Each structure stands twice: as structure tokens, then as C-alpha cells.
Amino acid sequence: MSDIGFSILLLSLVAIIGLLIGAARIRGVGLGIGGVLFGGILVGHFVHQGGWEIDKNALQFIKEFGLILFVYSIGNQVGPGFFASLRRTGLRLNALAGAIVLLGALTTLALYYVFGVAPEVLLGVYSGAVTNTPSLAAGQQILTELGQPAATTNIMGLGYAMAYPFGILGILLAMWLIRVVFGILIPTEAAASEAANGAGHGGLFAANVEVRNANIDGISCAELAELIGDKVICSRLKSGGALKVPGPEVRLATGDLLHLVASNASALHRAALIVGKEVAESLSTKGTGFRSERVVVTNEAVLGKHIADLVMQAHGEVVISRLHRAGVELVAQPGAVLQFGDILNIVGPAEAIERLAARVGNASAKLSQVQMMPIFIGIGLGVLLGSLPIPFPSLPAPLRLGLAGGPLIAAILLARLGSFGRLYWFMPPSANLALREIGIVLFLAVVGLDSGAGFVETLTKGGGLVWMGYGALITLFPLLIVGIFARRALGMNYLTICGLLAGSMTDPPALAFANNVHPGSGAPALAYATVYPLVMCLRILSPQIMAIILFYGL
């Protein structure tokens, strides 16, 4: 068998063993995809003991290509919701999650300056302590860019492996400690969460408001929109007992009922005060000629157009109230630009909705089709971006974003752009997940094989247990500081805090644990999804910044 064939056979064996290890669960908690690293370490140990030869060039190519696939898929996933998550009411959550990342980085730097721990060890321990594999990939890539030898990147992989197991358990321990310290009762927290978010639907807020303000009597819906702002949409109007489309020219009268949808509670409250008073009367479309339907944007002809253009083409017969993009629900502002895969919530007569649905496509089958050309265009642009030199006066050579930063930024920007002509950067979730998993399995398998030779010796004689202690500190300190602050100073709901802590580590097992704290509550998942895009980017960028500081003292 050729060296390349033998290397690929070993990678397949590592993937099988690692995925089996990751699938094992203890009380619902497991290593997940991180099990591939330990599978690689196990196989790498025996390969080293047996003196077998592996094609290093082939493994290096596979490792870097796997990294590119993984990071590009991550960027494509978070890109559409990245900027939206910063604009929504999740701004406070993102600030807290950013604080967790910052505290973790500062703790890592403090360990270096206080105890003099080797930088490559700390970078690996940091990535393992926060259970973020892209962070490991970015750290190893920047070490290569800085001209560090292969042995240095292997040590970083060992540090990651030492800290990773407690990284997972540490998140759960932090959630439990916060619960004990504050004497939190889960049923009480769940009831408070439902009361606070009951008016919202998937992150938006809605209310039925009666026109009682005499100054509103007689003005048009277009004039009302200017008064209440673009963060609030009037999606239904009930006048004289009949539902109407609140078109721009429709006049309002005292006693009319409006169904308002807003991006945050304060904007909704302000709009209700302007119009009149919130009431409990229903504005349901059941039993009427009106419908509320979701349609999917799949027609290339409307990509890049504004929501206001669609409403104008429908001659004001419908209202588009909500926009769902990459798992994030937004108010459908008139100036929002349409992207492939957007889901629009349309209210109006059945015939008008059907005509508009045909206009935007609404071909759900297209969502499962993959355009390969945009993927390779994006990867190519990402590699080029990562290769551009960034000069720093104090460094012996210019820095580069590398194969971790370049494809990530390119994917985020292209996914945010949405489309260019007939090319669109939407990737079906199943295809994105497949590329992401293949990429990370290949990367971790090679890292594990490279690290396997020294794992046992490091664990027993080389300070591996001390590295675990460093990792525990990096895991727990930021989570407890921010979690306690969020509870005591901000009065944040415990279920939301659990989702915040899990999201700050981008850790699915921790999210599963948070969801099981009170099954049926959507608060943890909502907080996790809100902070995930920003945190993922920060986790990839932070080890690169720390590497420059640790190696060059900048």
C-alpha cells in the first residue's frame, strides 16, 4: 500500500474511533465531535510506538483543506445573522458574551506573565478550555504564519486535549454554581421568562392596540409608520368589525384595532402609547378572506430588491410583517434587501398572497439544491484574502489572516451579501453541516495523529495535570464572573443566563443541558442563537491576537 493510501486508511480509522468516542454520553453529556481528537491521539500513540511511516505532506494538505472547509462553512452559517444579531435586543447578551471571551483571553495572558507558561501550551489550553475547535485551528495556523516549528503546533494540540474534557464539564458546573449561590427556583424562573416573552414570537414582540388618540384619527397608515418608526410594523387593521390591509393610503379612525409587530418591547410600548391603548381583542384571520402565510424567496429575479418593492408590486394589497433569515426573526423593514432563502410572513387576501408568492418563487425544493460555483468562488476569495500581507513595524515579517481568518471573513461577507446576479451564497443547512463536519473531522484527525506521540508522556511526566488546572481556571473564572454579574446586577433570568453561558462557549452539549433545565422553555436556545455568530468569530480571532502578544510582546 502506498504511503498516501496508508495515511488515508489511518484517517478513516481515526474518524471511526473518534466518532464512537464522541457519541458516548454520560447523563446526556459527551465529547461530541471533539472525540475525533482523542481517537487521533489513541491511534497516533500506537503508530508512533510501532514506528510506522505516515505521509506528512498528504496529512498537512488534508488538515489545511479540512480547516478551510470547516471555517468557510461556519462563516456561511453565521454570516446572514451576524450583523442582525448585533442590531436586535440581543445587544446586551452579545456584550456579556464578548466579556466572557475577553476575560478568558486576559486570564490566559495573566497565566503567562505570572507563571511563565509556554505560549504554545497556553494557546492550546485556552482553545480546549473554551471547547472551541476553530480556536485551535486558528491558533495553529497563526503559529505557522509566525514561522514556529511543527513541534510547537503539536504542543498546542496537546494543550487542547488536556483542557477539553473539563471545558465541557466546567460550563455545566458554572450553571449549577450560579443556581446554588442565588437559590434559584426553576419553576419561578420559567414562569418569569414566559411572562416576559409571552408577547413575542420567536424574539419579536406583538400587541393589538386600539386607536384612542384623537391626533391619530384620520391620518393614513403611511403617516402612522413615520410616527412609530421602522422598528414597528402594522400588519393587520380591523375597522368596523372587518379586517383590512393597512395599506399606505388607508385612513385610520378612532376605535380601529391595529396588530403591531416590533423588534423590541420598548419600541412596541412607545408605539402603543402613540396610537392609544393595548387591548385583548383578537385580530385572527380565521374565518375571514385574509390569510397569514410564509413564503420562501427562491426566485433569482427578486434577489437584491427591497421589501418595499414587493409591497408596491402587490399594489398595497398585502403587508409583509416578518423576515426570517438564517434562524433570526426580524421586523420586515421596507428597506430590507431580499436574499435567497429568506422567509417572509405575508398578511392579506388569499389571491394577493398567491400572486406575490409566485413572484418571489416559494419553491421550497430549491432550498435543498447546492450551487457549487459560489462555494469555490468563496473559498478562493477567502484563501486570497488570507494570503494578503498585513505589515506590523515590530514584527520580522508581515502577518496574514491565514487559512482560518481569510475564509471566515470572506464567507461572512458573501453570506451577508446574499447574491450576485444569478449566483447566491445560500447553502442548505444539510449541505453546510455536511461540509462543516467533514472539514472538522479531517482537521481533528490529523491534529490527533500529530499529538499522539507525546500525549501519554505529557500527561504523566510533562505537566499535563497542571495544564488541566490552567484550563479549569480559564473555563470557570469568566463564566462565573459574567454569570453572577448578569444575575445580581442586571437581574437576568436564569434560563437566559444558561443559554448565554452555553453560547459563549459555542458548546451544543451545554445547550442541551440548559434546555433540559426546564424542557419546553425556549429562553436558553434563543440566548444561545443570539450570541453564537459574534462569539464564534471572537473565538477564532482571539488566539491569533494572543499569539502575537505572547510571542512578540505587542
Side-chain angles (χ1 to χ4, degrees):
M1 182 181 296
S2 67
D3 289 345
I4 293 178
F6 179 67
S7 301
I8 293 176
L9 178 62
L10 277 181
L11 286 178
S12 300
L13 178 62
V14 168
I16 293 170
I17 295 175
L19 292 173
L20 288 173
I21 293 174
R25 294 286 187 271
I26 300 176
R27 294 184 177 273
V29 178
L31 293 175
I33 202 69
V36 177
L37 175 68
F38 293 93
I41 289 173
L42 179 64
V43 174
H45 172 73
F46 288 107
V47 168
H48 175 72
Q49 294 295 318
W52 295 328
E53 292 295 328
I54 306 176
D55 192 306
K56 296 294 185 182
N57 293 327
L59 289 185
Q60 184 66 21
F61 169 78
I62 291 172
K63 174 184 173 182
E64 294 189 355
F65 186 65
L67 170 61
I68 291 171
L69 287 180
F70 178 70
V71 174
Y72 181 82
S73 300
I74 287 288
N76 181 270
Q77 177 195 19
V78 306
F82 180 77
F83 299 100
S85 68
L86 300 181
R87 292 195 302 266
R88 300 175 64 226
T89 54
L91 184 59
R92 184 172 69 169
L93 284 174
N94 276 291
L96 292 171
I100 291 176
V101 177
L102 178 61
L103 283 174
L106 292 177
T107 303
T108 304
L109 294 175
L111 289 172
Y112 170 76
Y113 289 110
V114 173
F115 297 105
V117 187
E120 59 271 21
V121 171
L122 281 177
L123 290 173
V125 169
Y126 168 80
S127 299
V130 300
T131 68
N132 192 274
T133 306
S135 176
L136 170 67
Q140 290 192 327
Q141 183 64 34
I142 193 64
L143 291 186
T144 301
E145 294 290 337
L146 292 173
Q148 296 298 316
T152 302
T153 60
N154 290 344
I155 291 175
M156 186 176 174
L158 288 173
Y160 177 91
M162 297 297 172
Y164 188 87
F166 184 83
I168 294 178
L169 297 177
I171 307 171
L172 312 186
L173 178 61
M175 293 181 189
W176 178 77
L177 287 174
I178 292 171
R179 180 176 173 179
V180 171
V181 168
F182 290 98
I184 292 171
L185 300 176
I186 298 303
T188 304
E189 295 298 303
S193 176
E194 292 172 4
N197 298 314
H201 302 278
L204 296 183
F205 296 82
N208 296 328
V209 180
E210 182 179 352
V211 177
R212 294 188 181 181
N213 185 350
N215 295 321
I216 301 297
D217 189 19
I219 72 171
S220 68
C221 289
E223 292 172 317
L224 176 65
E226 294 182 3
L227 289 175
I228 61 179
D230 59 4
K231 293 183 179 179
V232 183
I233 294 290
C234 178
S235 65
R236 302 175 202 173
L237 165 64
K238 191 173 186 179
S239 181
L243 278 180
K244 297 180 180 180
V245 174
E249 304 302 323
V250 174
R251 299 281 172 177
L252 300 174
T254 302
D256 286 351
L257 297 176
L258 305 177
H259 183 72
L260 303 180
V261 180
S263 58
N264 58 69
S266 60
L268 180 64
H269 178 66
R270 176 179 174 275
L273 291 177
I274 292 174
V275 174
K277 183 179 180 180
E278 185 175 344
V279 294
E281 186 171 342
S282 173
L283 271 70
S284 172
T285 59
K286 292 182 180 179
T288 71
F290 281 69
R291 282 171 28 197
S292 177
E293 297 284 347
R294 288 187 174 189
V295 301
V296 184
V297 177
T298 57
N299 183 5
E300 289 86 350
V302 301
L303 300 182
K305 295 188 179 297
H306 298 88
I307 286 180
D309 298 332
L310 294 183
V311 175
M312 186 179 298
Q313 291 170 2
H315 307 291
E317 294 180 322
V318 301
V319 171
I320 301 176
S321 60
R322 303 171 191 233
L323 167 64
H324 303 255
R325 177 175 293 164
V328 179
E329 188 175 36
L330 307 165
V331 168
Q333 297 179 354
V337 176
L338 295 174
Q339 297 182 10
F340 188 89
D342 284 350
I343 301 175
L344 306 176
N345 194 82
I346 304 178
V347 181
E351 300 80 6
I353 291 178
E354 290 174 2
R355 287 195 297 268
L356 188 56
R359 171 68 177 157
V360 302
N362 203 30
S364 299
K366 274 193 172 184
L367 297 181
S368 60
Q369 299 173 2
V370 183
Q371 274 201 349
M372 297 304 297
M373 188 182 296
I375 294 176
F376 284 99
I377 290 175
I379 289 176
L381 291 175
V383 172
L384 288 175
L385 179 63
S387 302
L388 294 177
I390 305 173
F392 280 86
S394 302
L395 297 183
L399 287 180
R400 292 173 175 81
L401 292 173
L403 298 181
L408 174 73
I409 294 175
I412 290 175
L413 295 178
L414 291 174
R416 180 66 181 86
L417 175 65
S419 63
F420 182 78
R422 298 182 67 86
L423 296 175
Y424 48 85
W425 275 269
F426 171 85
M427 197 186 303
S430 57
N432 184 291
L433 178 62
L435 283 181
R436 192 164 74 244
E437 295 291 287
I438 290 173
I440 196 59
V441 165
L442 292 177
F443 175 81
L444 285 179
V446 177
V447 171
L449 284 173
D450 289 339
S451 304
F455 182 80
V456 174
E457 184 178 355
T458 301
L459 182 62
T460 56
K461 302 177 183 178
L465 295 178
V466 177
W467 297 3
M468 291 181 182
Y470 295 150
L473 183 61
I474 296 171
T475 298
L476 285 176
F477 179 70
L479 292 176
L480 290 176
I481 291 296
V482 173
I484 292 172
F485 174 81
R487 181 66 180 185
R488 183 174 296 279
L490 303 180
M492 189 174 290
N493 188 276
Y494 175 70
L495 299 178
T496 299
I497 292 175
C498 288
L500 165 67
L501 299 185
S504 69
M505 299 293 195
T506 62
D507 189 65
L511 175 61
F513 179 85
N515 284 332
N516 287 331
V517 170
H518 188 273
S521 173
L526 179 60
Y528 183 96
T530 300
V531 304
Y532 181 90
L534 176 64
V535 168
M536 181 59 75
C537 294
L538 293 178
R539 290 296 186 198
I540 291 175
L541 294 175
S542 57
Q544 300 184 66
I545 297 172
M546 284 193 293
I548 297 172
I549 295 173
L550 292 174
F551 280 94
Y552 293 99
L554 299 181

